[in-house]
Amino acid sequence: LQGELAAAGATPELAARVAVLGCQADLVDLAGVARAAGVGIGRVVEADADVEQLLALPRVHAWTAEEAGISHWAVAARAALREEVDQLRWALVAALLRDADGDAEAFADRHAGALARFTAVRRQAGSARDEVLGRACVVVGELRRLVGTVG
């Protein structure tokens, strides 16, 4: 994040401060999931990494990244999608810990159909030539459906 902010014109000091705030927000989310699941932070970190890998969420995050030269409405839309992806990710981390005791393979087996649907939509969006914001909206909608399915 710090590099992205600096590339967008932020001073190095401002970029560093904002990047730290983003990390602090993730720590608050980690602690909340750990408390709700009744597990240690280390287990939540592992489950988070598993969810990120299982769903290829870094690619989804990349679609919501800000770009120079886009309208303030597009910037706001991408920020809203980023926030929603993060909220949905934490819901999936909690579901992984609750449903499969953190076992990503068991979780994937239990929810194979829903995961396959999400993966297919994400892959189709990745190869489409349409506007990235539209593709991101569709993928986030499918992520929302996945969270609803796994509960």
Side-chain angles (χ1 to χ4, degrees), residues 4 52 55-68 70-71 73-86 117-143:
E4 291 175 22
E52 289 268 341
L55 300 175
L57 289 181
R59 171 174 279 185
V60 177
H61 273 284
W63 291 334
T64 65
E66 294 178 13
E67 295 177 359
I70 61 175
S71 78
W73 290 109
V75 169
R78 287 174 184 234
L81 287 172
R82 262 194 317 278
E83 185 176 319
E84 186 169 4
V85 168
D86 286 341
R117 178 183 165 113
F118 173 80
T119 299
V121 170
R122 191 200 69 241
R123 283 184 180 151
Q124 288 174 350
S127 63
R129 295 178 188 252
D130 298 295
E131 163 62 36
V132 70
L133 189 55
R135 292 183 286 150
C137 285
V138 170
V139 172
V140 171
E142 191 59 40
L143 186 59

Side-chain angles (χ1 to χ4, degrees), residues 50-51 54 96 100 102-109 115:
D50 289 339
V51 166
L54 185 65
L96 170 60
D103 183 341
E105 193 172 305
F107 183 80
D109 288 344
L115 291 167

Side-chain angles (χ1 to χ4, degrees), residues 1 16-35 41 44-45 48 61 82-83 86-87 89-90:
L1 177 62
R17 285 183 184 175
V18 172
V20 167
L21 288 176
C23 292
Q24 289 173 342
D26 281 346
L27 288 175
V28 169
D29 291 337
L30 279 169
V33 171
R35 185 176 53 252
I41 295 245
V44 177
V45 169
D48 181 43
H61 273 284
R82 262 194 317 278
E83 185 176 319
D86 286 341
Q87 290 171 356
R89 182 184 95 220
W90 292 120

